[in-house]
Amino acid sequence: MESTKQHQELVESKTDPLSISQLNISSSPSPLPQAKTADELFKSHRHFVSPKDDLPSKETWEESLGVVDDDSTDPNYDTIEGNGHSDPTSFDADLFEYKKKATIIVEEYFSTNDVVSVANELKELGMAEYRYYFVKKLVSMAMDRHDKEKEMAAFLLSTLYADVIDPPEVYRGFNKLVTSADDLSVDIPDAVDVLAVFVARAIVDDILPPAFLKKQMNLLPDDSKGVEVLRKAEKSYLAAPLHAEVVEKRWGGADNWTAEDVKGRINELLKEYVMSGDKKEAFRCIKGLKVPFFHHEIVKRALIMAMERRKAQEKLLELLKEATEVGLINSTQVTKGFSRIIDLIEDLSLDIPEARSVLQSLISKAASEGWLCASSLKSLSADSGEKLLENSSASVFKDKVKSIVREYFLSGDTLEVVHCLETELGACSSQLRAIFVKYLITLAMDRKKREKEMACVLVSSLGFPAKDVRKAFSMLIESADDTALDNPVVVEDLAMFLARAVVDEVLAPRDLEELLSQTSSSVGEKVIQTAKTLLKARLSGERILRCWGGGGVETNSPGCTVSEVKEKIQVLLEEYVSGGDLGEACRCMKELGMPFYHHEVVKKSVVRIIEEHEKKERVWKLLKVCFDSGLVTIYQMTKGFKRVNESVEDLCLDVPDAWEKFKSCVERAKLEGFLDESFSFEEEAQVVKEKGSSSSAAR
């Protein structure tokens, strides 16, 4: 009875518009080879990529599958599944036998997870023209099981593809699955979603052409479950950001490995390859990782190892070259791997002094051999006038930075950090300052809100030149791709640090544009755009200051807005001037918990002096005591005077001789020793005057 039913289905498929029989597939499949060389094996896996979208083109896929439009008028065309069987009875018996054995093979595979055994059994079973049924049976049985079996099925198909199961048979198997989606939905409630993931996974794994989706949609009825499956695969999975990673990990991915696990395995396989020189084994391990979207990490780590181990350089480059030529690592991943090394060259130069020149030679060699497009890479030229740091001193500095930052997170002592940096930086190297800020923020991102707030306070208090802080953020942004592997919210964290630097006036808004023009990574662009969005929001200053508590290291009033802090400072000054209690004034300033905002105290104090409020000497005494005790840093003091300088023009409306009085304040502050001698009143005043005259001319 079952045999008759199967025969009827096969005969009906002759007129089925969805049947694969309408595609002309080689009617006499070539026998499977008994053995393959490594080159033959991996060349059979190679897929050509269209330059437009990095996906295999429809024409290329159809050629590689051997699929062309049929000619139903050809008298030699076989109407029964296109498999070369002229005798329906013989075909029916063979397929019935194959179905029974295929079911047993799938059941055993789900029990043993032995891929090699499945491959051997399929080869022994023969009948390669029926392997489309094995594809269909494997997937349909996995759909009704746990995620473990689903992942096993996807992994098996990718492993057997082209080596055991020919590409046309994989294509036909998925065709049958999509066509039978209505029947599958009867027994499996979530069949549409599960089958959509299988289709998306097959496309991500390069065992199914992307053109499969559109082609099948055009053939299937609009109201069928099959169309629903294809649309879900296209829109919900393949069109999503980072879709390859999402689809690969949907059922746990490569044995639920973490990114660190994969990195460890990559290191191990590269070390073993350097020791043994066995390319076949290295290729097998790379393929076994099952992370094609992460192959750039292999390129990156191989290049770093090549820089560190000169004797292994030729061997490692040969591995990358051959892996690229056989299509195991695609050109996009190769380019991304080289780009990541270029982004990290400054850090690498600390440990490998000649890293830049070595990398340049590796790029030249790879480009000359034709497996790297060097024109798509960023320039490696060093910044003009800036020499690379010596390996020994830079490595020592990096170690000391970590120690300084950890101690700061425990003590909150900003002055101690300033003292340590003055001792360690010596000649105040721009590169060392950038490295310090980078490590400070990197370590803070791995900690709680308290440490993040402390990092922002310290960056604001140090008074580093804007270009050094900008360079630090540039390094952080360019390495964001790597950081994202360990910190999923790196975009949000970095964007907040960047926005906070602008709010604290450590960076100017135009610095964001410069950073955007320098970055080449999508994650970096997202960080900067997110920071811009944060800064454009209503009351952005208050919100950004409050993002990690808003009260600094020892705040007793977390979440204060800027206007509230200004009001507290005003009240503090009025109470001090009227009562004269210096200790109480200093205590109130500490309780504000916002040392990065002490420039506002300086500004309001100087404005009060200019406006000739009574008891000016008390205000001068407060400024001097705050500076001598370290409560207000030299940076905050200078910043406060600069802020007054910017507002003197407005003060002139109420105090006509405000310029002269401000000049007198600057001279006294320098004389008292709490304003840096480098502060130039004439220079600052001239800038403001020029701005005023130009705006008047414009009006």
Side-chain angles (χ1 to χ4, degrees):
M1 188 73 173
E2 185 179 349
S3 176
T4 305
K5 183 179 179 182
Q6 291 166 352
H7 175 65
Q8 183 180 352
E9 289 175 355
L10 291 167
V11 173
E12 287 175 355
S13 70
K14 173 180 176 180
T15 57
D16 183 3
L18 305 178
S19 175
I20 200 69
S21 64
Q22 297 203 9
L23 302 175
N24 185 12
I25 302 173
S26 177
S27 61
S28 56
S30 57
L32 287 170
Q34 295 301 312
K36 286 188 178 184
T37 65
D39 287 345
E40 289 172 338
L41 174 62
F42 285 101
K43 282 178 181 175
S44 69
H45 285 262
R46 186 174 184 178
H47 309 313
F48 296 89
V49 179
S50 63
K52 181 178 179 181
D53 51 10
D54 290 343
L55 289 173
S57 65
K58 177 179 177 182
E59 293 79 5
T60 303
W61 267 97
E62 291 183 345
E63 289 171 10
S64 65
L65 290 172
V67 179
V68 295
D69 291 340
D70 73 336
D71 184 0
S72 57
T73 62
D74 183 354
N76 296 320
Y77 180 72
D78 186 0
T79 59
I80 302 181
E81 295 290 343
N83 288 317
H85 286 271
S86 57
D87 183 359
T89 306
S90 171
F91 171 78
D92 193 44
D94 288 346
L95 182 59
F96 179 73
E97 182 67 20
Y98 190 90
K99 283 184 175 183
K100 286 201 305 182
K101 292 184 177 179
T103 303
I104 294 171
I105 292 172
V106 173
E107 290 282 4
E108 288 181 353
Y109 170 64
F110 286 152
S111 300
T112 64
N113 196 16
D114 190 342
V115 176
V116 175
S117 177
V118 174
N120 291 334
E121 288 177 11
L122 285 176
K123 288 178 181 178
E124 289 174 8
L125 183 58
M127 295 186 282
E129 66 271 21
Y130 299 141
R131 286 184 182 150
Y132 72 89
Y133 178 79
F134 177 80
V135 174
K136 177 183 176 183
K137 192 67 177 177
L138 173 68
V139 173
S140 60
M141 288 177 68
M143 287 173 63
D144 202 20
R145 301 200 179 205
H146 297 296
D147 285 355
K148 176 188 173 185
E149 284 79 9
K150 294 183 180 76
E151 178 61 31
M152 287 171 66
F155 178 80
L156 182 64
L157 288 177
S158 181
T159 305
L160 301 182
Y161 178 79
D163 185 27
V164 177
I165 304 177
D166 291 332
E169 298 304 308
V170 175
Y171 188 101
R172 296 176 66 197
F174 275 96
N175 171 277
K176 295 291 184 184
L177 283 163
V178 173
T179 304
S180 59
D182 290 280
D183 294 334
L184 290 169
S185 298
V186 175
D187 300 317
I188 307 170
D190 59 344
V192 170
D193 183 64
V194 176
L195 187 51
V197 178
F198 268 111
V199 172
R201 176 68 176 267
I203 292 173
V204 167
D205 286 346
D206 283 345
I207 65 173
L208 199 62
F212 175 86
L213 299 174
K214 294 295 182 185
K215 191 165 188 177
Q216 296 303 311
M217 278 189 206
N218 293 334
L219 294 174
L220 291 167
D222 289 340
D223 59 348
S224 69
K225 294 287 185 182
V227 169
E228 208 175 319
V229 167
L230 296 170
R231 284 176 180 161
K232 193 172 186 67
E234 182 180 38
K235 295 179 180 179
S236 299
Y237 296 109
L238 295 174
L242 302 175
H243 68 274
E245 292 90 330
V246 172
V247 172
E248 287 275 357
K249 296 295 181 183
R250 177 60 188 268
W251 296 315
D255 297 333
N256 292 309
W257 297 348
T258 64
E260 287 305 314
D261 293 333
V262 176
K263 288 178 182 179
R265 290 173 184 258
I266 290 171
N267 272 337
E268 288 302 317
L269 79 86
L270 288 174
K271 287 176 184 175
E272 288 178 10
Y273 167 70
V274 169
M275 294 290 292
S276 67
D278 188 345
K279 285 196 192 75
K280 291 182 182 179
E281 179 63 18
F283 287 168
R284 186 191 68 76
C285 291
I286 292 172
K287 188 180 177 186
L289 289 173
K290 287 295 294 156
V291 285
F293 57 87
F294 203 55
H295 281 172
H296 56 81
E297 186 71 19
I298 298 173
V299 177
K300 171 192 161 187
R301 290 179 181 268
L303 291 173
I304 292 175
M305 194 175 288
M307 290 187 216
E308 293 173 338
R309 306 183 185 186
R310 296 300 179 82
K311 292 181 180 179
Q313 194 174 102
E314 288 296 325
K315 195 180 287 186
L316 288 163
L317 287 180
E318 191 62 32
L319 175 72
L320 293 179
K321 177 185 176 184
E322 194 163 331
T324 306
E325 287 176 347
V326 300
L328 186 58
I329 300 177
N330 66 42
S331 58
T332 302
Q333 294 293 313
V334 171
T335 302
K336 188 173 181 181
F338 272 92
S339 296
R340 289 180 64 197
I341 290 290
I342 292 173
D343 293 338
L344 298 172
I345 196 63
E346 296 295 340
D347 287 344
L348 286 172
S349 297
L350 301 177
D351 301 316
I352 310 171
E354 65 279 15
R356 191 181 296 273
S357 59
V358 174
L359 180 56
Q360 187 63 65
S361 67
L362 296 180
I363 291 173
S364 300
K365 183 175 175 62
S368 65
E369 291 176 350
W371 54 278
L372 173 67
C373 179
S375 61
S376 61
L377 301 176
K378 291 193 298 184
S379 173
L380 259 176
S381 59
D383 293 337
S384 59
E386 187 170 313
K387 297 180 180 179
L388 292 175
L389 294 170
E390 291 297 326
N391 181 33
S392 57
S393 61
S395 297
V396 170
F397 177 71
K398 286 173 69 176
D399 292 336
K400 288 184 177 179
V401 164
K402 293 177 183 177
S403 175
I404 291 170
V405 172
R406 289 191 182 110
E407 286 183 14
Y408 169 65
F409 285 156
L410 291 172
S411 67
D413 192 341
T414 308
L415 288 177
E416 180 62 23
V417 176
V418 173
H419 172 71
C420 290
L421 288 179
E422 287 175 352
T423 305
E424 301 300 337
L425 287 175
C428 295
S429 163
S430 174
Q431 191 171 357
L432 289 178
R433 286 193 291 263
I435 289 172
F436 177 81
V437 175
K438 179 190 174 185
Y439 271 88
L440 171 66
I441 293 175
T442 301
L443 291 172
M445 283 196 293
D446 285 335
R447 300 196 176 211
K448 297 181 179 178
K449 289 183 177 181
R450 174 182 176 273
E451 285 78 11
K452 291 184 174 76
E453 177 66 24
M454 290 175 72
C456 292
V457 170
L458 183 57
V459 171
S460 177
S461 302
L462 288 173
F464 285 168
K467 69 181 184 68
D468 297 336
V469 179
R470 186 174 63 241
K471 185 174 182 180
F473 274 104
S474 179
M475 291 190 289
L476 285 164
I477 288 168
E478 291 306 322
S479 61
D481 283 306
D482 289 339
T483 311
L485 299 174
D486 303 315
N487 181 5
V489 293
V490 64
V491 172
E492 292 79 2
D493 279 355
L494 261 183
M496 188 59 76
F497 273 112
L498 194 54
R500 178 64 176 270
V502 174
V503 170
D504 288 343
E505 298 181 9
V506 176
L507 292 177
R510 65 174 178 274
D511 289 321
L512 298 185
E513 297 300 332
E514 187 167 341
L515 286 170
L516 186 59
S517 66
Q518 292 173 353
T519 186
S520 61
S521 69
S522 58
V523 175
E525 290 177 4
K526 191 173 181 182
V527 167
I528 298 168
Q529 294 296 349
T530 304
K532 285 182 171 181
T533 303
L534 289 170
L535 290 165
K536 287 178 182 176
R538 184 172 175 269
L539 302 175
S540 61
E542 289 87 339
R543 290 179 179 178
I544 291 168
L545 282 173
R546 295 167 62 182
C547 63
W548 290 311
V553 179
E554 299 175 348
T555 180
N556 290 326
S557 55
C560 289
T561 64
V562 171
S563 58
E564 288 171 343
V565 173
K566 287 181 178 180
E567 186 177 340
K568 287 183 178 182
I569 291 171
Q570 187 66 35
V571 171
L572 178 158
L573 286 173
E574 288 174 358
E575 288 182 355
Y576 165 69
V577 170
S578 61
D581 190 340
L582 195 57
E584 178 66 15
C586 291
R587 188 186 65 78
C588 290
M589 284 181 64
K590 287 180 181 177
E591 285 184 352
L592 283 175
M594 301 181 77
F596 57 88
Y597 208 60
H598 283 172
H599 58 80
E600 186 69 20
V601 177
V602 177
K603 175 190 169 185
K604 288 186 179 297
S605 297
V606 176
V607 168
R608 192 178 189 91
I609 293 169
I610 291 173
E611 291 177 343
E612 287 194 324
H613 285 281
E614 56 185 18
K615 301 177 182 177
K616 290 188 290 185
E617 287 304 316
R618 279 190 181 180
V619 181
W620 278 113
K621 187 176 180 181
L622 176 65
L623 290 176
K624 182 166 177 57
V625 170
C626 286
F627 178 76
D628 290 342
S629 65
L631 188 57
V632 176
T633 65
I634 185 69
Y635 173 72
Q636 291 293 318
M637 188 68 73
T638 305
K639 189 174 180 180
F641 271 84
K642 284 184 177 179
R643 296 283 297 277
V644 176
N645 191 19
E646 292 166 1
S647 61
V648 170
E649 190 175 12
D650 293 333
L651 284 172
C652 286
L653 299 175
D654 300 316
V655 185
D657 58 344
W659 284 114
E660 287 72 19
K661 288 184 177 180
F662 178 59
K663 182 177 180 180
S664 176
C665 289
V666 170
E667 290 172 351
R668 178 167 177 176
K670 287 182 179 180
L671 192 63
E672 296 277 356
F674 54 81
L675 184 61
D676 197 283
E677 288 292 334
S678 63
F679 183 85
S680 175
F681 167 78
E682 289 79 17
E683 214 173 74
E684 298 291 334
Q686 187 63 28
V687 170
V688 177
K689 285 180 179 179
E690 286 175 1
K691 285 182 180 177
S693 59
S694 62
S695 61
S696 299
R699 287 196 292 270

